[in-house]
Amino acid sequence: MSTTTLTLGPRPIDPSVDHEIQAIVSGAATGDTCNTDLAVGPWDFDTRPGYGPGASMGDVIPTGAPRQGALPQEYRDAPDDELEQRIIAAKQTLGDRAVVLGHFYQREEVVRHADYVGDSFQLAGAAQAHPEAEAIIFCGVHFMAETADLLSGPDQAVILPNLAAGCSMADMADIDQVEECWEALEDLFGDMDTPDEEGLLPVIPVTYMNSSAAIKGFVGRHGGIVCTSSNARTVLEWAFARGRRVLFFPDQHLGRNTAKAMGVPLERMPMWNPTKPLGGGDAQTLHDAQVILWHGFCSVHRRFTVDQIDKARAEHPGVRVIVHPECPMAVVDAADEAGSTDYIRKAIQAATEPTTFAIGTEINLVQRLAAEYPQHEIFCLDPVVCPCSTMYRIHPGYLAWVLEELVAGRVVNRITVPSDVADPARVALERMLAAKPPATPVA
């Protein structure tokens, strides 16, 4: 497959993580990957339970999680160059009838075909901004496609190329667990819908974008809001203006890191473990809480460590370390900066002098940035090549298949959120879209 290779001095930079994994597995390159199965087609795992090889391979997948049916053999057998040409031809035939959205964490071979590339916040806006498209092909994961369906028109079809592209973090907070948590808090705090003498409600629920439509619907019904890593601080400010406490789920690390940066003491951020009575805490701790954190995490960002940062600083004096706020608190504290995927991209883009960057986020974005900005030295903090298990389930073979099915007049892998969930979820999402973080220059 054709690919753009840029050069930093004598070192070629290939934006393709797949190429690197193939080279490591074949012995053509040195290095380590967390699972050699990453070198084979993801269709080999579609019928098996689990998230597939990669960062989430050790996470427990819920019973009934979506699975992908068999991909037609012609797409499994097609060489990379053929798939690329078939995708290009199908997109040309469809024209404005279809728009392809690609998350920053998608593999290079998919992202190059996206009409819009961004983080979950940006792509939510892009889905809403194209009412003329008959189909929105979302190259990301399941909760993102659900969000696109919520924000798009009723006559638009949202398509997820591989139904097995879920999210282990999103699955860590299911609707039954969240409802049980809310009932327990209601028993503790009383009427959750009646403000106190200062006009504040007992608890405002805030869910990260990385959650199911059912969770977003729950939040919408209970006066809450959705956030992304781009606007988490703005959203927490919104919630603190309306409630005594925030119930933040499913990612404990984004909630903790954001609230800590806002001055919330750690002792006022207890964890809620849904498998334990009162979340594993006690009534007094919950009464004193300002942010109640759900026991969830991102398996990609949990791989980053303080030791990795120390090693980067020892080997690269003057290195600028930027990590995602889904990383554990100790990692965020040890880094120079923490920010969303878009923040990381803009920070590198804004650097006027050649700089060494050590980045703590998903490898596909890091590798692409290294190729895009060859004037800098850019590397991933984690030396083991271990992409997001579920983002990596989207392969050019699936993208070619869903596009060619559209050309033939058939819609496959459509994601549809039922109206009883969609209506309150839209309320929470509209609040999120209105909570725009202030524009601040990146140093």
Side-chain angles (χ1 to χ4, degrees), residues 176-253:
D176 291 338
Q177 291 175 327
V178 171
E179 293 278 10
E180 289 171 4
C181 170
W182 194 254
E183 289 174 6
L185 293 177
E186 196 168 34
D187 290 342
L188 192 62
F189 299 128
D191 184 1
M192 302 285 260
D193 298 321
T194 301
D196 61 19
E197 64 280 0
E198 296 181 31
L200 298 176
L201 293 169
V203 183
I204 298 290
V206 175
T207 188
Y208 193 17
M209 177 71 93
N210 301 35
S211 58
S212 69
I215 297 294
K216 294 180 178 74
F218 168 89
V219 166
R221 289 195 307 274
H222 293 286
I225 186 171
V226 180
C227 81
T228 74
S229 54
S230 300
N231 72 349
R233 183 183 184 115
T234 303
V235 164
L236 281 184
E237 289 170 350
W238 181 96
F240 289 152
R242 290 161 174 79
R244 289 285 173 195
R245 305 162 195 84
V246 168
L247 173 61
F248 190 97
F249 46 85
D251 181 33
Q252 58 172 296
H253 299 301

Side-chain angles (χ1 to χ4, degrees), residues 288-371:
D288 294 341
Q290 191 169 354
V291 180
I292 302 168
L293 299 167
W294 194 266
H295 193 273
F297 54 84
C298 170
S299 293
V300 169
H301 291 105
R302 195 173 64 160
R303 291 182 59 86
F304 298 109
T305 66
V306 174
D307 285 346
Q308 291 169 355
I309 294 177
D310 291 343
K311 186 171 186 291
R313 295 199 191 283
E315 295 179 356
H316 303 271
V319 66
R320 184 172 167 188
V321 180
I322 311 179
V323 302
H324 196 281
E326 290 176 18
C327 293
M329 181 180 68
V331 174
V332 169
D333 289 347
D336 297 309
E337 302 157 64
S340 68
T341 48
D342 192 51
Y343 176 93
I344 293 169
R345 183 184 63 83
K346 287 178 177 176
I348 292 172
Q349 183 182 52
T352 56
E353 298 296 324
T355 304
T356 300
F357 289 95
I359 305 299
T361 196
E362 211 274 347
I363 183 62
N364 280 280
L365 175 60
V366 179
Q367 196 117 320
R368 194 174 305 120
L369 289 169

Side-chain angles (χ1 to χ4, degrees), residues 34-204:
C34 60
N35 193 318
T36 56
D37 284 342
L38 288 162
V40 304
W43 42 81
D44 285 1
F45 309 99
D46 286 344
T47 59
R48 306 182 198 174
Y51 295 104
S56 297
M57 58 192 170
D59 296 337
V60 178
I61 195 166
T63 302
R67 295 194 191 177
Q68 174 62 40
L71 181 69
Q73 195 67 41
E74 65 177 291
Y75 298 99
R76 302 186 192 194
D77 294 340
D80 292 347
D81 286 339
E82 179 187 327
L83 288 174
E84 182 169 30
Q85 293 308 312
R86 290 173 73 163
I87 291 168
I88 291 170
K91 285 193 66 185
Q92 288 176 340
T93 300
L94 292 166
D96 292 339
R97 292 170 51 206
V99 60
V100 178
L101 308 182
H103 192 272
F104 282 133
Y105 295 163
Q106 286 289 291
R107 62 174 81 204
E108 172 65 17
E109 292 79 6
V110 168
V111 158
R112 66 179 55 180
H113 299 293
D115 299 301
Y116 295 90
V117 180
D119 61 18
S120 54
F121 183 78
Q122 294 166 325
L123 294 179
Q128 195 175 37
H130 286 276
E132 77 286 353
E134 297 172 18
I136 298 169
I137 298 91
F138 209 119
C139 297
V141 294
H142 195 273
F143 73 80
M144 297 179 186
E146 284 187 326
T147 302
D149 182 62
L150 293 169
L151 296 175
S152 59
D155 297 328
Q156 293 179 291
V158 175
I159 293 169
L160 182 64
N162 185 339
L163 295 178
C167 173
S168 61
M169 179 205 290
D171 291 339
M172 290 175 189
D174 68 42
I175 187 61
D176 291 338
Q177 291 175 327
V178 171
E179 293 278 10
E180 289 171 4
C181 170
W182 194 254
E183 289 174 6
L185 293 177
E186 196 168 34
D187 290 342
L188 192 62
F189 299 128
D191 184 1
M192 302 285 260
D193 298 321
T194 301
D196 61 19
E197 64 280 0
E198 296 181 31
L200 298 176
L201 293 169
V203 183
I204 298 290

Side-chain angles (χ1 to χ4, degrees), residues 370-381:
E372 188 176 355
Y373 297 97
Q375 69 272 32
H376 303 306
E377 171 109 21
I378 301 171
F379 61 93
C380 187
L381 274 172

Side-chain angles (χ1 to χ4, degrees), residues 401-426:
W401 170 57
V402 298
L403 287 170
E404 291 186 340
E405 287 291 295
L406 282 174
V407 170
R410 295 183 292 269
V411 176
V412 294
N413 284 20
R414 183 170 185 172
I415 302 297
T416 304
V417 180
S419 59
D420 61 327
V421 172
D423 291 342
R426 286 191 191 98

